[in-house]
Amino acid sequence: MESVFDEMNFRDHEQVVFCNDPDTGLKSIIAIHNTTIGPALGGCRMWNYNSEKDALKDVLRLSRSMSYKAAIANLNLGGGKAVIMGDSKRDKSEILFRSFGRFVQGLGGRYITAEDVGTSVKDMEWVRMETQYVTGISRALGGSGDPSPVTAFGTFMGMKAAVKKQLGKDSLSGLKVSIQGVGHVGYHLCKYLHQENVEIFATDIDQQSLIKVSKDFNATVVNPDEIYDLDVDIYAPCALGATINNETIPKIKAFVIAGAANNQLEDESKHGQQLKQKGILYAPDYAINAGGLINVANEIDGYNRERAFNQAEGIYETLMTIFATADEENIPTNEAAEKVAINRMKEVSKLRNVFLPRQNPMRKRDN
Ligand code: NAD
């Protein structure tokens, strides 16, 4: 690596911490992108990176997107992320995660961690032995548990906002929705859609998940490669990223894209623009799927499921603001989302000059 400070994504980060503990084997990077609005919350990813440079690149990219996600979800949080370099199937241990927890504790609440790809609730419980600055722990220990029902509800509300914008209708009744991936989020999304009398078309590579949604919600099952060609009103990507790309955009007949998957646009600027040109209303992924973040963020003040669902309901208004901004400025909705998020960070930064005594961000948790 030539210079860490030359790394393209490094520039606007507040702090990047390299955590090295030879005794436990921990090699981790914690990236704090922005704490203007509040402490940086973001998951800890465990991945077998090819190089330290790849790990750094990944953590910097991910932490920036957490700042936007928290800002747009109207949470009092900033953005951060951590990565642990290692094989999540082979290299996990109590001491590895406790060591990571000590580094998190050392940041005094500037960074709050959570589970992510390659880490689990159990790992976070090891982290919790060393620090209070951790979320995503089990319901049994006072945590928020599985976030997917809240994510699905937020996605459903976002879908309703998109339909209101496109058709002026308050209900999804009678519409056709295709869902790619009926795992944790997709299943609960089907439940909300079924309750509203929506005709569901579902695909997955897991047959059991398909059998379940077809039985529970009368979903029509289609093959994975058929999902883009369907004559539906809404396409909901709830599996993988980058499914909106040069190959799929010409096929998509839906007038709304609204799903929970992360990083749906393969190329943010190009494909956002193409969707706009085609008249497809795209609900920006990190705005519509913020229910997961809203859920873990609720642990900070003592978890309350009802409050998490109420906040996720706010995704409707958030998307309406994004759509209005996109219209006013004649820009794609993904660009509008970024503008709204950055604007909130700028506005809140005006408070910097008003003195506030230090608060413990996890003030109500009985640890
Ligand atoms: P999951 O693993 O439970 O479900 C994903 C489903 O997609 C699985 O059933 C899998 O078999 C299926 N799948 C994989 N490849 C596929 C393919 N090629 N075609 C069709 N189906 C395929 O994950 P999840 O928790 O439901 O999350 C779904 C998406 O939403 C992910 O992109 C995730 O990052 C994002 N997300 C989830 C949450 C949350 O609360 N769980 C929050 C925010 C974002």
Side-chain angles (χ1 to χ4, degrees):
M1 197 179 313
E2 282 146 29
S3 158
V4 169
F5 287 91
D6 287 341
E7 161 63 47
M8 201 181 75
N9 291 314
F10 193 84
R11 270 166 281 161
D12 56 351
H13 273 74
E14 283 179 18
Q15 188 178 12
V16 180
V17 183
F18 290 78
C19 315
N20 184 35
D21 181 3
D23 290 336
T24 63
L26 179 79
K27 272 190 175 182
S28 164
I29 309 174
I30 300 172
I32 297 174
H33 176 253
N34 193 300
T35 58
T36 303
I37 300 181
L41 190 147
C44 170
R45 182 165 288 196
M46 185 163 184
W47 197 256
N48 220 351
Y49 291 100
N50 286 330
S51 67
E52 290 167 13
K53 194 173 181 178
D54 284 356
L56 178 63
K57 203 171 163 183
D58 205 30
V59 76
L60 295 176
R61 179 181 65 87
L62 292 165
S63 63
R64 176 188 288 104
S65 64
M66 289 309 296
S67 291
Y68 295 161
K69 195 165 184 164
I72 204 123
N74 285 317
L75 293 167
N76 258 350
L77 291 169
K81 201 88 183 181
V83 294
I84 292 177
M85 284 167 252
D87 185 333
S88 63
K89 295 213 165 61
R90 219 188 44 208
D91 302 335
K92 283 188 181 180
S93 66
E94 175 180 343
I95 52 165
L96 184 91
F97 284 100
R98 289 184 71 160
S99 173
F100 173 71
R102 287 183 175 213
F103 281 102
V104 172
Q105 180 67 15
L107 289 166
R110 278 175 56 69
Y111 168 68
I112 302 169
T113 197
E115 62 173 306
D116 197 74
V117 176
T119 58
S120 66
V121 170
K122 186 175 159 223
D123 304 331
M124 291 307 120
E125 288 170 2
W126 279 327
V127 173
R128 188 171 176 265
M129 291 175 182
E130 301 295 339
T131 183
Q132 60 188 310
Y133 304 119
V134 53
T135 57
I137 51 178
S138 64
R139 295 289 291 273
L141 289 178
S144 57
D146 178 10
S148 45
V150 181
T151 305
F153 179 64
T155 306
F156 173 66
M157 292 312 296
M159 237 181 224
K160 282 173 89 79
V163 166
K164 177 76 175 172
K165 170 78 176 61
Q166 290 287 70
L167 300 180
K169 282 188 178 178
D170 290 320
S171 164
L172 304 182
S173 178
L175 295 180
K176 293 178 183 170
V177 177
S178 62
I179 306 186
Q180 181 181 45
V182 282
H184 285 92
V185 179
Y187 178 84
H188 290 282
L189 182 58
C190 284
K191 185 183 76 185
Y192 291 115
L193 295 174
H194 184 63
Q195 280 165 2
E196 201 152 313
N197 199 24
V198 166
E199 194 177 343
I200 302 167
F201 296 81
T203 194
D204 202 291
I205 48 170
D206 178 54
Q207 290 310 310
Q208 288 309 314
S209 304
L210 286 171
I211 291 169
K212 233 171 137 198
V213 291
S214 127
K215 204 166 112 249
D216 295 354
F217 311 119
N218 206 18
T220 304
V221 170
V222 299
N223 288 326
D225 52 1
E226 285 169 356
I227 197 79
Y228 306 106
D229 300 286
L230 296 177
D231 201 358
V232 293
D233 304 296
I234 302 171
Y235 162 54
C238 294
L240 319 156
T243 64
I244 302 164
N245 53 46
N246 289 343
E247 271 161 47
T248 58
I249 292 175
K251 294 184 191 174
I252 295 173
K253 298 185 185 75
F255 59 81
V256 164
I257 296 177
N262 280 314
N263 306 319
Q264 294 171 23
L265 304 179
E266 189 177 72
D267 180 322
E268 279 283 328
S269 59
K270 187 168 108 184
H271 296 130
Q273 189 65 39
Q274 281 178 8
L275 292 177
K276 178 177 182 290
Q277 276 160 4
K278 220 182 147 184
I280 298 174
L281 186 63
Y282 169 63
D285 44 20
Y286 63 88
I288 194 170
N289 73 15
L293 178 62
I294 288 170
N295 196 54
V296 290
N298 260 277
E299 283 184 35
I300 295 170
D301 289 330
Y303 187 64
N304 176 327
R305 193 100 172 143
E306 199 183 328
R307 189 178 56 207
F309 272 96
N310 284 341
Q311 285 181 2
E313 197 171 354
I315 289 175
Y316 182 97
E317 282 310 324
T318 300
L319 283 181
M320 284 307 207
T321 306
I322 293 169
F323 298 149
T325 306
D327 275 355
E328 275 158 29
E329 308 206 11
N330 193 22
I331 52 175
T333 50
N334 56 311
E335 281 178 33
E338 204 170 307
K339 277 205 158 194
V340 175
I342 291 172
N343 198 33
R344 180 161 179 246
M345 288 194 257
K346 275 190 189 151
E347 282 297 304
V348 177
S349 73
K350 291 178 186 163
L351 287 169
R352 264 184 183 156
N353 293 331
V354 183
F355 175 76
L356 190 70
R358 221 170 250 278
Q359 285 184 347
N360 179 349
M362 311 293 281
R363 56 193 174 276
K364 286 184 193 143
R365 166 121 20 113
D366 181 16
N367 217 33

